[in-house]
């Protein structure tokens, strides 16, 4: 295969985009736009330049903790550039889109993950149980607790995203619902870890998904990068033409794989 060009400055980037008739640039967020909440130098001017050039920009993240509006607000404040919800694609939105499109019969979901998942599912008329715990939410379960547990009726899917409060109770409740083969198992992403700095790698959603998969002998449908479900959303909801699109990211297993396979 041909060796891809090395783009070292704004002039070479502009020339590349023009030569390939690029209309849309997709950006990952953590590690590309910012690191640990701190903007990466030059990103604001780069985004401003791309938008001024008439290109569409979409921020495509495997994070599911914040809904599209919250994500847009965060990026706007961080970069000093007006970013709208229609420029943001977190995987919580993709999960809601996927259920609405492929499993419209699902009206109630058990959530392992952040508020963003709950918000986006609620926005398409889906009731959520689980989700972010309260300070009084128990985390453990004894054998007798398991035997006396009463599941909520009519749960049609289990959706798993990053959850820093992940615990045994979440595994048990998810596995209880998933004993019904008609209940769907969906992951917002399957990233194994997030790099906080050179010395700290934080276990990510993929570790939580793996625990539930092991407990249930089920395999989750992944809607995040690098899967085609993310591209389906971009094409149907964001007007992206994949033949005229570039993906900018920092991870080979998600961002770059997504760009190559889609």
């Amino acid at each position: 295969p041909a060796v891809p060009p090395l783009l070292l400055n704004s002039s070479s980037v502009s020339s590349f985009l023009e030569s390939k008739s690029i209309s849309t640039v997709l950006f990952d967020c953590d590690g590309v736009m910012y690191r640990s909440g701190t903007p990466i130098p030059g990103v604001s001017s780069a985004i401003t330049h791309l938008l001024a050039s008439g290109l569409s920009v979409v921020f495509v993240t495997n994070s599911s903790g914040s809904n599209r509006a919250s994500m847009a607000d965060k990026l706007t404040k961080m970069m000093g550039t007006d970013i709208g919800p229609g420029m943001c694609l977190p995987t919580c939105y993709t999960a809601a889109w996927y259920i609405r499109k492929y499993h419209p019969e699902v009206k109630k979901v058990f959530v392992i993950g952040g508020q963003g998942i709950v918000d986006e599912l609620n926005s398409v008329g889906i009731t959520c149980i689980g989700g972010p715990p309260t300070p009084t939410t128990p985390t453990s379960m004894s054998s007798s607790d398991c035997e006396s547990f009463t599941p909520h009726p009519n749960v049609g899917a289990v959706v798993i995203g990053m959850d820093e409060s992940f615990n045994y109770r979440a595994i048990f409740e998810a596995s209880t619902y998933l004993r019904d083969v008609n209940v769907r198992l969906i992951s917002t992403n399957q990233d194994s870890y997030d790099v906080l700095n050179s010395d700290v790698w934080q276990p990510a959603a993929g570790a939580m998904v793996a625990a539930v998969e092991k407990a249930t002998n089920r395999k989750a449908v992944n809607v995040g990068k690098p899967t085609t479900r993310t591209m389906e959303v971009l094409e149907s909801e964001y007007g992206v033409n994949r033949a005229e699109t570039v993906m900018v990211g920092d991870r080979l297993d998600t961002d770059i794989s997504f760009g190559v396979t889609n």
Side-chain angles (χ1 to χ4, degrees), residues 158-233:
V158 172
V159 175
I160 305 175
M162 176 62 178
D163 186 349
E164 293 179 348
S165 300
F166 186 67
N167 56 64
Y168 184 80
R169 176 175 287 270
I171 299 174
F172 173 79
E173 292 192 22
S175 63
T176 298
Y177 294 116
L178 290 165
R179 289 188 63 191
D180 182 344
V181 296
N182 295 310
V183 174
R184 311 292 175 173
L185 176 56
I186 300 163
S187 63
T188 61
N189 72 89
Q190 295 187 13
D191 295 11
S192 54
Y193 61 85
D194 292 325
V195 179
L196 300 184
N197 58 56
S198 59
D199 297 319
V200 180
W201 290 14
Q202 180 182 28
M208 290 131 216
V209 174
V212 174
E213 287 182 331
K214 187 68 173 179
T216 59
N217 201 28
R218 299 275 296 271
K219 287 295 181 183
V221 173
N222 182 12
V223 301
K225 294 175 293 186
T227 73
T228 58
R229 285 110 189 172
T230 297
M231 181 53 76
E232 285 185 64
V233 180

Side-chain angles (χ1 to χ4, degrees), residues 8 26 47 99 102 106 138 190-191 195 221 234 247 249:
L8 298 176
L26 309 177
I47 298 303
I99 293 174
Y102 289 105
V106 172
Q190 295 187 13
D191 295 11
V195 179
V221 173
L234 287 166
M247 177 74 216

Side-chain angles (χ1 to χ4, degrees), residues 71-189:
M71 181 179 168
D73 184 59
K74 174 182 177 178
L75 289 171
T76 296
K77 291 177 180 177
M78 186 176 293
M79 296 191 294
T81 301
D82 188 23
I83 305 297
M87 298 170 66
C88 299
L89 179 56
T91 50
C92 49
Y93 181 84
T94 307
W97 176 90
Y98 175 82
I99 293 174
R100 182 183 60 187
K101 179 175 176 62
Y102 289 105
H103 305 291
E105 75 282 0
V106 172
K107 302 301 181 183
K108 185 186 292 185
V109 168
F110 176 70
V111 174
I112 296 176
Q115 188 62 40
I117 301 175
V118 174
D119 292 342
E120 294 293 0
L121 289 173
N122 287 167
S123 74
V124 296
I126 296 173
T127 300
C128 296
I129 57 175
T134 66
T136 59
T137 302
T139 59
S140 62
M141 294 190 79
S142 65
S143 296
S144 59
D145 290 334
C146 293
E147 289 180 318
S148 62
F149 175 72
T150 301
H152 288 262
N154 304 317
V155 170
V158 172
V159 175
I160 305 175
M162 176 62 178
D163 186 349
E164 293 179 348
S165 300
F166 186 67
N167 56 64
Y168 184 80
R169 176 175 287 270
I171 299 174
F172 173 79
E173 292 192 22
S175 63
T176 298
Y177 294 116
L178 290 165
R179 289 188 63 191
D180 182 344
V181 296
N182 295 310
V183 174
R184 311 292 175 173
L185 176 56
I186 300 163
S187 63
T188 61
N189 72 89

Side-chain angles (χ1 to χ4, degrees), residues 241-254:
N241 180 344
R242 68 176 71 195
E244 300 176 355
T245 299
V246 166
M247 177 74 216
V248 180
D250 64 331
R251 289 183 67 140
L252 290 175
D253 60 339
T254 55

Side-chain angles (χ1 to χ4, degrees), residues 26-47:
L26 309 177
F27 284 95
D28 179 46
C29 291
D30 193 4
V32 176
M33 294 291 104
Y34 50 82
R35 171 72 72 193
S36 299
T38 301
I40 289 177
V43 297
S44 180
S45 58
I47 298 303

